[in-house]
Amino acid sequence: MQISYDTADLKRCCQKREVAEERFGRTYADRLVSEIADAEAFDYVDEWHQILGGNVTTFADNSFQVVIGSSYMATFVSVDENAAFDVNGRIVWASVEYIKLMSISEVQ
């Protein structure tokens, strides 16, 4: 699976532990960088979702959020032009290889 980023700043934050540490603290930085690396090891988004279990929430707008520790949430969207959709128009995550990280926000 391949992950792109909504902004260059977000990419830097997720790929450089020291940048993530400045923004989120050591514990969350480690978790974030590890989570992104783990995600890229899967072929399809559905495989990652299965491992995440209750730490992922999918939405009707074909986006999903992943819990990063107890304080942060990462929001992703599909950018896979070859993604399949079910009869209800919802994305079939087992067909998605390309996603984009849109934001990391504090859990409200």
Side-chain angles (χ1 to χ4, degrees), residues 33-52:
V33 172
S34 295
E35 197 68 61
I36 296 294
D38 289 349
E40 290 179 325
F42 293 101
D43 291 326
Y44 296 96
V45 173
D46 184 62
E47 297 168 343
W48 185 36
H49 283 185
Q50 289 177 33
I51 296 298
L52 291 170

Side-chain angles (χ1 to χ4, degrees), residues 13-75:
C13 183
C14 292
Q15 293 183 338
K16 295 190 183 250
R17 192 173 307 268
E18 57 275 0
V19 175
E21 195 170 310
E22 286 176 20
R23 193 156 304 156
F24 305 112
R26 176 175 283 167
T27 301
Y28 294 113
D30 289 344
R31 186 95 186 258
L32 173 64
V33 172
S34 295
E35 197 68 61
I36 296 294
D38 289 349
E40 290 179 325
F42 293 101
D43 291 326
Y44 296 96
V45 173
D46 184 62
E47 297 168 343
W48 185 36
H49 283 185
Q50 289 177 33
I51 296 298
L52 291 170
N55 289 331
V56 64
T57 303
T58 58
F59 299 99
D61 68 353
N62 295 323
S63 67
F64 65 94
Q65 291 183 327
V66 174
V67 174
I68 307 293
S70 59
S71 296
Y72 294 96
M73 188 79 65
T75 302

